[in-house]
Amino acid sequence: MATATPPRTAADLVERFARSAAVTEAGAWLRTAEVPGWMAQRHASHRFAVRRIPFAALAGWSFAPGTGNLGHDSGRFFTVEGLRVSVGDGPYPDWQQPVIKQPEVGILGLLAKEFDGVLHFLMQAKMEPGNRNLLQLSPTVQATRSNYTKVHRGADVPYLDHFLRPAPGSVVADSLQSEHGSWFFRKSNRNMIVETRDAVPVAEDFCWLTLGQIGRLLRRDNLVNMDARTVLAGVPTGGDPGPGGAPYADTELLSWFTAERSRHTVGAELVPLDGVAGWRRGAHTVERPDGRYFRVVAVAVEAGSREVAGWSQPLIEPCGLGVTAFLTRRIGGVPQVLVHARVEGGFLDTVELGPTVQCVPGNHAALPPDERPPFLDTVLTAPPGRIRYAAVHSEEGGRFLHAESRYLLVEAADDAPDDALPPGYRWVTPGMLGALVRHGHYLNVQARSLLSLLTTGAARLQD
């Protein structure tokens, strides 16, 4: 039986996580500078290969007669179906597209343990077929229900019991969070941080790192994966969430967010993949004739370190590098970031708070300036002196092929009054976002990735 963790105050948790964030160069296991070499060693220890194949070569997957939906013979994992969306306004008031339907809730779990009085986190060198460099640092557990119930007849998921049956008092963070609303239909994962006092055998593809070490590694391109970033957004920081140091996001912010959800009328319904207007299916892709947005492709995978050594599957492949950015400012010395109440067709509830800018610029190149995403040109033309953070990170590598975005924190150039902001935008403190992320479906996955840069110390908005 797992050892119960003694009761902890919120202040105690914040102090212990801050102490871990301050340890940036060397933890109890590896020096930070040694981690890329350790990752390369893990990569060389296994056979990894991903190759594109025609849909007809997919093993266990097929297009259903009558609908054309692409699914697995077991009826599990996920399906690729059609989605019809209507939002009523903007340059694209309605559209149709393929979308991934994966109703089961997965677990993204990060295990924490003290060594020499400092919290460390058990990270995994995990292969995902969609990662451009294949192997990235992931949470301790990153598994769908189909994975951990072994629909694929594979090996057990290591360390899963810490999250399915956590010891009393061990849970630090636990919430249901959305995945990419542009490519998933109402998909959620359980994001968890669990602390253990037990001895934990360390498997060969795992290592313990401090929060500060992870923050340093987040400054490198394509090293810490999306699933780790979304969990790290939930780290308790104790930052001032708003006016008066209120312990939760202030009522005014929640009222504004509720009004944003209320003012949008979003219609989103699944339709047969064969009936999606403006898309065509060929032997190797489902795509638009103009080559924009994304395409559905098929791959065959070899992965010696995974629960199953080989398989094939569909993936979504974006058409271009994304840009994901927060504009930042300081008011009275307190940092703020500019959030956008975004509508995405796959969200469970109309809108979630996203970054200031979240798009693939090439998809909007033909639009007139007044219809391009607000602040996109501000971010793209920012001088180096205003860029507080910049790195390229992969999105979810288990479902998306080479989906990457340039993540940015950019200081705003002026102090334009808040009432000059476009509808749907608002300045908030990182502490407010930290309070909201303890609950599900307030921050989208891109905003959580940006927030993780602040919770880990990868970037700082105060000198």
Side-chain angles (χ1 to χ4, degrees):
M1 179 180 293
T3 304
T5 301
R8 301 158 299 190
T9 66
D12 171 62
L13 274 177
V14 168
E15 190 277 329
R16 294 170 67 226
F17 275 87
R19 192 188 317 149
S20 182
V23 178
T24 60
E25 302 303 327
W29 289 73
L30 289 172
R31 296 188 61 81
T32 308
E34 296 171 340
V35 174
W38 176 79
M39 294 282 288
Q41 181 187 55
R42 300 319 312 152
H43 193 290
S45 298
H46 303 285
R47 164 70 177 167
F48 295 127
V50 178
R51 58 186 174 86
R52 296 170 187 263
I53 58 175
F55 290 125
L58 283 168
W61 296 81
S62 59
F63 293 98
T67 65
N69 293 341
L70 182 55
H72 194 263
D73 295 347
S74 67
R76 301 291 295 275
F77 300 111
F78 63 92
T79 54
V80 181
E81 305 186 19
L83 181 68
R84 181 187 296 128
V85 183
S86 173
V87 297
D89 56 11
Y92 307 109
D94 52 72
W95 70 90
Q96 296 183 31
Q97 63 169 86
V99 73
I100 295 174
K101 180 186 176 186
Q102 187 175 351
E104 61 186 29
V105 174
I107 292 178
L108 306 179
L110 196 55
L111 190 64
K113 182 176 171 63
E114 273 197 3
F115 295 94
D116 301 326
V118 177
L119 280 172
H120 287 61
F121 303 87
L122 190 59
M123 305 296 291
Q124 177 182 182
K126 188 176 182 70
M127 183 272 192
E128 293 288 348
N131 293 339
R132 193 174 294 278
N133 56 351
L134 294 183
L135 205 69
Q136 296 188 12
L137 282 176
S138 84
T140 318
V141 167
Q142 176 185 323
T144 65
R145 183 179 294 275
S146 290
N147 288 147
Y148 65 76
T149 57
K150 296 195 283 189
V151 173
H152 49 39
R153 300 183 180 88
D156 291 336
V157 175
Y159 309 108
L160 181 63
D161 276 358
H162 288 280
F163 304 95
L164 287 183
R165 287 170 283 276
S170 66
V171 176
V172 174
D174 191 355
S175 60
L176 282 180
Q177 301 290 354
S178 63
E179 288 215 30
H180 294 75
S182 295
W183 297 327
F184 280 108
F185 184 69
R186 299 177 182 174
K187 173 74 171 70
S188 297
N189 278 323
R190 190 178 179 188
N191 287 213
M192 302 180 71
I193 303 175
V194 172
E195 183 182 356
T196 183
R197 293 164 57 86
D198 296 333
V200 179
V202 180
E204 62 180 6
D205 289 317
F206 293 78
C207 69
W208 292 100
L209 298 173
T210 69
L211 191 60
Q213 289 183 286
I214 299 168
R216 284 288 190 269
L217 296 169
L218 274 165
R219 297 178 181 181
R220 294 173 174 257
D221 291 352
N222 283 326
L223 185 53
V224 180
N225 80 354
M226 184 217 79
D227 299 284
R229 299 193 306 269
T230 179
V231 178
L232 290 164
V235 164
T237 60
D240 179 11
Y248 300 104
D250 67 304
T251 302
E252 184 181 352
L253 173 61
L254 291 173
S255 178
W256 171 81
F257 181 70
T258 303
E260 286 297 315
R261 279 188 165 169
S262 300
R263 79 179 179 90
H264 290 281
T265 301
V266 179
E269 61 175 336
L270 294 171
V271 297
L273 183 61
D274 274 352
V276 173
W279 294 74
R280 64 187 180 190
R281 187 175 99 199
H284 291 80
T285 62
V286 178
E287 61 183 346
R288 288 170 55 100
D290 60 11
R292 296 171 69 193
Y293 302 114
F294 65 90
R295 59 183 70 90
V296 182
V297 300
V299 298
V301 183
E302 295 177 57
S305 63
R306 292 291 299 266
E307 296 88 359
V308 173
W311 70 92
S312 60
Q313 68 171 94
L315 291 171
I316 280 180
E317 181 183 29
C319 300
L321 178 70
V323 172
T324 302
F326 271 147
L327 284 181
T328 75
R329 71 178 186 182
R330 285 187 292 273
I331 298 295
V334 177
Q336 297 182 342
V337 298
L338 186 61
V339 296
H340 177 207
R342 285 182 57 87
V343 173
E344 294 183 18
F347 282 157
L348 183 65
D349 192 358
T350 318
V351 303
E352 294 188 12
L353 296 182
T356 318
V357 173
Q358 177 191 319
C359 69
V360 174
N363 290 335
H364 306 275
L367 293 175
D370 61 338
E371 293 186 5
R372 284 165 60 82
F375 306 106
L376 173 60
D377 294 326
T378 301
V379 166
L380 293 179
T381 60
R386 295 215 324 268
I387 298 176
R388 303 298 296 261
Y389 174 92
V392 173
H393 291 304
S394 294
E395 304 303 330
E396 213 283 316
R399 298 292 177 265
F400 312 139
L401 180 64
H402 299 166
E404 298 171 299
S405 289
R406 187 168 184 243
Y407 278 81
L408 297 157
L409 296 171
V410 179
E411 287 186 348
D414 53 43
D415 295 323
D418 289 5
D419 57 10
L421 292 173
Y425 289 81
R426 187 180 180 95
W427 290 101
V428 302
T429 67
M432 288 178 175
L433 298 185
L436 288 176
V437 82
R438 294 176 59 84
H439 310 279
H441 302 286
Y442 279 99
L443 272 65
N444 77 355
V445 67
Q446 290 89 347
R448 298 196 305 274
S449 277
L450 287 168
L451 182 59
S452 76
L453 307 177
L454 306 180
T455 63
T456 61
R460 299 188 184 279
L461 301 184
Q462 287 177 299
D463 297 324

